[in-house]
Amino acid sequence: MGLPIACPPVPLTAAPETLTRIACTHCGDDCPDEAIELTSQTELHFCCAGCKAVYELLAASNLCGYYRLDAQAGQRVKTVELPGRFDYLDLESVQSQLLAFRSPTLARLTLSIPQMHCASCIWLLENLFKLNAGIRESRVNFLRKELTVSYEPASTSLKDVVALLAAINYEPQITLAELGAQPHAASRTLYYQLGVAAFGFGNVMLLAFPDYFSFTEGLHDAFGRFFGWLSLLLALPVLVVSARSFYQSAWQGLRQRYINLDFPISLGLTALFATSVFEVLTQRGPGYFDSFTGLVFFMLIGKWVQQHSYDALRFDRDFTSYFPVAVTLLTKAGEQSVSVKELLAGQRIRVRHQEIIPADAVLLRGTGLIDYSFVSGESVPVAKAVGEVVYAGGRQVGEAVELEVVREVSQGYLTQLWNNPAFEKEARPTLETYANHVGRYFVALTLTLAVGSVLYWYPQDPQMALRAFTSVLIIACPCALSLATPFAMGAALRVLGRRQLYLKNAAVIETLSRADTLVFDKTGTLTDTHLSPVSFSGPALSPDDAQRVAALVSQSTHPLSQRLAAHLGPTGFTVEAYAEIPGQGIGGVVAGTRVRVGSAAFVGANASETAPPEQQSRVYVALNEQPGGCYDIRSPYRENLPALLRELGQHYQLALLTGDNAADATRLRQLFGAGAELRFQQSPLDKLAYVEALQQQGRRVVMVGDGLNDAGALQRADVGIALTETLTNFSPACDAILEAGSFGRLATILRFARDCRFIVLATFGLSFCYNGIGLSLAVRGLLTPIASAILMPISSLSVMVFATLLVRYAARRRQL
């Protein structure tokens, strides 16, 4: 059988003189004397049948680009195969623990892949759909060595997916007893490298004492040559083991036609080591192995400290620990709003219309109509009957349902939904993008200065030329430039999280700092419906009819519905055929009576008879299609709203979009000012179109709404902030969730965001100063390579500390 694509030719490694060893095409290991060859291409050799099988699998699927990304991309394949070793994955009990989501058309799970190690691994694992047509998508989280796989159960099975991964030597680590919250231990490679470097550095320094003290000249004459060779022997493991990561990173960058930070470092290490070997071989001296081993040791120390410092501020994962999406818990004392972190298996929860299901649960009461578009991308609701499992991440569409939790919630999973690529904003250049762009030119400048220093010093002092060349390559550190943004913004995320503003990612802070237009919703955003007085106008409702209305409004999460439900009290009626039309109202059948609650047009009432007074919302009621009066809900504006809008109006263009009528236009004009645009009776589509029109004018728009009728506008805006009383309205469409109690701090939060952008610019300046001073000293030969190796991580750490402390100072100054 012919192969559709030719993979790279066999690399040959020449061993001493008479023996030539053949490297395996897949894994790069030496082949046995009788190598296994591919029938159709005899120039391809393999060390074992497993490597040959993987090669054939990749070649048949046109995936040989895997080998071009890394010369030794393949992992050694074990040919031992136990029959039926993955049969347990067909068991329903196992799948219920492993799968995060399952439907007739899609199943999804996250697997730990400890073998993942390079760019070719990522490329191959994200192209699994070419190896198995039943796999819809696979996405890699390289930092956590995780692979999220979505597949079609009708076309393939969980067993087939895991068997495929094992066949290409990426067998997942599955421990059923620890599913859901496995800690991911950091790689120990860095510790091994540090140990080897410390051993080599300490011993080479000991052997270099005869060169440091003039009174040991006799000892040096007797043992100098021996010490030189012994130092070379001790430095070799440091080069091969400890410094290998620098060379690997530099080589992978070159293969991608990109010069990264590790390239000049590798160049400096090579120059130092090669010069030292030359001096030992020609007996000119003991070389600079003390500097070489010390250089590697201190650079690894710097890498270790940076890694631990970054872990301490790992905002991209750890901010979920204070992300309190709430859920309505059913207790003997009644309903209680609790954080999902407190939710346990066996507890009962109530999920209303448009609320997210935070944990896997069994449906106990009500008609489940689950929208899994946040999980699977399919917007068609799935009907669920009592007793069926409902997966986390779905959104209930229809009447409120009662569920019993079967698996504790995973906030990491909710965060995955929030960061779903379907809700990503249009990418724009950020400070971090500019920093990385400048970093490329910085590396080129570093190489130019290093070569220039050699040309200047070599005719005068070759030893000084080597010192200057190595010091310039080592001390130049654009990583301090690239660390400024993530550390400053990461610290800002923590500050804002403590003030009940929960952001999707750090880039939202920078976007907030550049905003020039603020658009507000009215009901539930500017108004406080929590304690609004309620009165009824029209023919009095019978107690049973009032309870019917209470049963209907209790199904909705709209602020006015929730206020009516609290006013009317609990009810024993159940609702059938529940439906909610955003911006208009809700309807359903309660105890045999069709009930409608909403706008006048929705229920068929005549709204022109009496207009509601200012700061008051009117909710109409119809029973069996007959209008039956209305509830007047006085919606006072939040107490700090006038001062907040006055302050925001000095820096931003303000606008109001509301579905209410213009009864309160006079008061709103006073609050917003003459320059603001006020639009009434706006549908959700009208709000979306308005935001799009502003963006087409080049404006950066922040939309603040309650997340219900504003979902489209929130998603379209540069930053969408969902204001909520209980945090149950978790919506992936927004970029931030702000608790209503912190709404008065919005102006302060926006000022703080601007402060953070200036802090990042200040850290850029500090980084440039560090590098300018360091490079000027290194070019003049005033710094030794070891001193450069010590100063380089210190400069990075100082930039991180500087950024973090400035953010904390700015937060304290803004009283956040």
Side-chain angles (χ1 to χ4, degrees):
M1 179 182 68
L3 295 175
I5 188 171
C7 283
V10 162
L12 300 178
T13 29
E17 300 177 1
T18 58
L19 182 62
T20 299
R21 305 294 293 179
I22 299 177
C24 175
T25 302
H26 175 69
C27 70
D29 288 353
D30 289 340
C31 292
D33 294 337
E34 295 183 2
I36 300 174
E37 296 182 353
L38 200 63
T39 306
S40 60
Q41 300 183 40
T42 55
E43 72 275 12
L44 301 180
H45 307 271
F46 302 92
C47 63
C48 63
C51 285
K52 176 186 175 185
V54 173
Y55 177 90
E56 289 179 319
L57 181 63
L58 298 179
S61 302
N62 294 332
L63 290 178
C64 284
Y66 171 71
Y67 299 101
R68 290 192 292 272
L69 291 174
D70 191 347
Q72 293 183 333
Q75 298 286 301
R76 179 75 182 217
V77 175
K78 299 178 181 179
T79 57
V80 178
E81 182 65 38
L82 298 177
R85 60 189 300 242
F86 296 124
D87 287 350
Y88 73 97
L89 295 174
D90 288 331
L91 299 175
E92 177 63 28
S93 59
V94 174
Q95 293 190 19
S96 64
Q97 296 182 67
L98 281 174
L99 295 177
F101 174 77
R102 178 169 50 175
S103 72
T105 58
L106 181 70
R108 174 175 293 175
L109 77 161
T110 300
L111 297 167
S112 175
I113 311 289
Q115 302 91 334
M116 195 188 309
H117 72 292
C118 67
S120 58
C121 299
I122 299 174
W123 183 83
L124 178 59
L125 290 171
E126 291 193 342
N127 280 274
L128 291 178
F129 64 93
K130 295 182 179 180
L131 299 177
N132 185 331
I135 296 177
R136 183 180 297 183
E137 181 188 36
S138 53
R139 296 177 65 89
V140 165
N141 184 332
F142 185 74
L143 292 176
R144 300 187 63 166
K145 298 291 191 293
E146 288 182 345
L147 175 69
T148 300
V149 182
S150 301
Y151 66 91
E152 299 174 358
S155 303
T156 189
S157 65
L158 175 59
K159 174 184 174 181
D160 294 336
V161 172
V162 173
L164 172 62
L165 289 170
I168 59 176
N169 207 47
Y170 291 100
E171 182 174 342
Q173 179 179 326
I174 300 176
T175 307
L176 295 179
E178 300 176 357
L179 286 177
Q182 294 189 64
H184 298 270
S187 172
R188 297 182 181 179
T189 304
L190 182 59
Y191 295 101
Y192 296 146
Q193 291 175 330
L194 262 174
V196 172
F199 177 80
F201 175 51
N203 285 279
V204 171
M205 285 289 290
L206 184 64
L207 296 175
F209 270 116
D211 290 318
Y212 297 151
F213 301 102
S214 57
F215 62 84
T216 58
E217 291 181 2
L219 180 64
H220 179 266
D221 294 338
F223 295 98
R225 185 183 305 174
F226 172 72
F227 284 171
W229 283 100
L230 190 56
S231 297
L232 171 59
L233 185 64
L234 290 168
L236 276 174
V238 177
L239 174 69
V240 175
V241 177
S242 300
R244 185 175 66 174
S245 58
F246 299 109
Y247 287 98
Q248 286 178 333
S249 175
W251 175 242
Q252 289 178 7
L254 290 176
R255 290 180 67 87
Q256 301 297 320
R257 299 180 181 180
Y258 173 75
I259 296 179
N260 57 22
L261 173 64
D262 288 325
F263 178 79
I265 292 176
S266 303
L267 198 60
L269 292 175
T270 301
L272 201 58
F273 187 83
T275 303
S276 302
V277 171
F278 177 77
E279 292 208 358
V280 170
L281 292 177
T282 58
Q283 301 181 16
R284 294 186 178 185
Y288 308 98
F289 291 115
D290 53 342
S291 297
F292 171 79
T293 54
L295 189 61
V296 175
F297 174 70
F298 286 114
M299 288 178 62
L300 289 176
I301 286 287
K303 179 183 286 190
W304 178 81
V305 174
Q306 286 182 9
Q307 177 177 305
H308 278 255
S309 300
Y310 195 80
D311 287 345
L313 289 175
R314 201 181 311 161
F315 57 86
D316 58 336
R317 284 172 285 177
D318 291 351
F319 80 97
T320 59
S321 62
Y322 57 80
F323 180 58
V325 177
V327 63
T328 302
L329 180 67
L330 299 178
T331 65
K332 294 182 180 179
E335 295 184 0
Q336 180 182 355
S337 182
V338 300
S339 168
V340 291
K341 292 184 293 186
E342 303 173 21
L343 200 59
L344 303 175
Q347 291 182 325
R348 296 191 175 189
I349 59 175
R350 173 164 290 153
V351 177
R352 296 181 176 86
H353 177 65
Q354 293 296 317
E355 285 187 342
I356 291 286
I357 298 165
D360 294 350
V362 173
L363 182 62
L364 296 181
R365 182 178 300 173
T367 302
L369 199 59
I370 314 299
D371 176 7
Y372 282 116
S373 58
F374 295 154
V375 182
S376 64
E378 300 173 357
S379 58
V380 179
V382 179
K384 293 289 183 179
V386 172
E388 289 190 281
V389 175
V390 180
Y391 290 97
R395 184 191 287 270
Q396 167 66 359
V397 180
E399 64 183 83
V401 292
E402 188 175 321
L403 307 169
E404 181 175 335
V405 177
V406 295
R407 187 192 300 180
E408 292 183 14
V409 67
S410 168
Q411 287 189 313
Y413 180 67
L414 291 178
T415 306
Q416 287 181 20
L417 296 181
W418 206 16
N419 288 281
N420 192 316
F423 301 103
E424 289 181 356
K425 307 289 186 183
E426 181 181 351
R428 294 191 181 186
T430 63
L431 289 174
E432 193 167 4
T433 304
Y434 293 133
N436 294 334
H437 189 66
V438 171
R440 299 181 184 181
Y441 293 100
F442 188 89
V443 172
L445 176 64
T446 301
L447 295 176
T448 302
L449 290 175
V451 173
S453 61
V454 170
L455 296 177
Y456 175 81
W457 284 110
Y458 191 80
Q460 306 174 47
D461 187 348
Q463 186 173 351
M464 180 64 76
L466 176 64
R467 171 189 288 186
F469 178 74
T470 308
S471 299
V472 168
L473 292 175
I474 298 303
I475 201 169
C477 186
C479 63
L481 190 68
S482 62
L483 288 173
T485 302
F487 269 80
M489 298 305 185
L493 273 181
R494 290 177 176 269
V495 170
L496 295 176
R498 289 197 296 268
R499 293 301 179 184
Q500 290 78 49
L501 176 62
Y502 308 101
L503 304 182
K504 179 175 289 188
N505 51 54
V508 177
I509 300 177
E510 187 177 340
T511 308
L512 280 174
S513 72
R514 299 178 185 273
D516 53 27
T517 304
L518 299 180
V519 180
F520 292 91
D521 175 45
K522 178 190 171 188
T523 306
T525 304
L526 303 183
T527 60
D528 188 354
T529 59
H530 215 49
L531 299 176
S532 306
V534 179
S535 60
F536 186 78
S537 302
L541 295 177
S542 67
D544 285 345
D545 286 341
Q547 289 297 292
R548 289 184 175 94
V549 173
L552 181 64
V553 296
S554 66
Q555 310 295 310
S556 174
T557 54
H558 192 279
L560 294 180
S561 296
Q562 288 295 294
R563 181 66 193 98
L564 272 181
H567 171 73
L568 295 172
T571 177
F573 288 124
T574 59
V575 179
E576 299 175 353
Y578 176 86
E580 181 167 344
I581 300 178
Q584 298 187 42
I586 56 179
V589 178
V590 184
T593 300
R594 174 163 293 278
V595 183
R596 284 194 173 199
V597 177
S599 65
F602 180 71
V603 305
N606 186 1
S608 62
E609 294 178 356
T610 56
E614 293 184 357
Q615 293 183 240
Q616 189 160 302
S617 298
R618 180 159 287 175
V619 179
Y620 292 85
V621 176
L623 302 171
N624 287 327
E625 310 301 334
Q626 296 298 318
C630 62
Y631 287 96
D632 289 323
I633 304 176
R634 181 174 174 79
S635 302
Y637 295 116
R638 299 187 185 276
E639 58 179 357
N640 45 17
L641 182 63
L644 174 64
L645 292 178
R646 188 165 50 250
E647 184 176 356
L648 291 175
Q650 298 174 4
H651 304 282
Y652 300 94
Q653 176 67 39
L654 302 182
L656 172 71
L657 303 178
T658 176
D660 295 343
N661 55 36
D664 205 13
T666 303
R667 173 60 175 157
L668 288 170
R669 177 58 65 190
Q670 294 174 352
L671 290 173
F672 277 83
E677 185 166 2
L678 308 180
R679 294 196 176 192
F680 301 93
Q681 295 182 331
Q682 297 288 293
S683 68
L685 289 178
D686 293 333
K687 296 179 181 180
L688 173 60
Y690 180 77
V691 171
E692 290 178 338
L694 288 176
Q695 291 176 325
Q696 289 173 2
Q697 298 172 16
R699 308 195 72 89
R700 293 179 181 264
V701 182
V702 175
M703 175 71 193
V704 185
D706 59 14
L708 297 175
N709 300 332
D710 318 300
L714 288 173
Q715 182 177 349
R716 179 61 187 176
D718 295 281
V719 176
I721 301 178
L723 191 72
T724 180
E725 300 284 350
T726 61
L727 285 174
T728 56
N729 295 333
F730 167 69
S731 173
C734 65
D735 301 288
I737 298 176
L738 176 64
E739 282 192 354
S742 297
F743 179 71
R745 297 178 177 269
L746 183 59
T748 303
I749 289 171
L750 292 173
R751 287 200 305 269
F752 176 67
R754 294 197 297 270
D755 292 343
C756 290
R757 181 157 59 94
F758 290 126
I759 289 171
V760 172
L761 295 175
T763 52
F764 284 175
L766 178 63
S767 176
F768 283 128
C769 289
Y770 268 134
N771 284 285
I773 296 172
L775 286 172
S776 65
L777 295 175
V779 168
R780 295 159 57 190
L782 300 179
L783 288 179
T784 64
I786 291 183
S788 300
I790 296 174
L791 292 175
M792 190 263 286
I794 288 178
S795 68
S796 298
L797 290 173
S798 62
V799 165
M800 295 184 237
V801 173
F802 178 74
T804 304
L805 292 180
L806 274 186
V807 168
R808 292 182 177 178
Y809 170 74
R812 181 174 300 177
R813 188 164 67 95
R814 300 295 184 190
Q815 297 181 348
L816 288 175

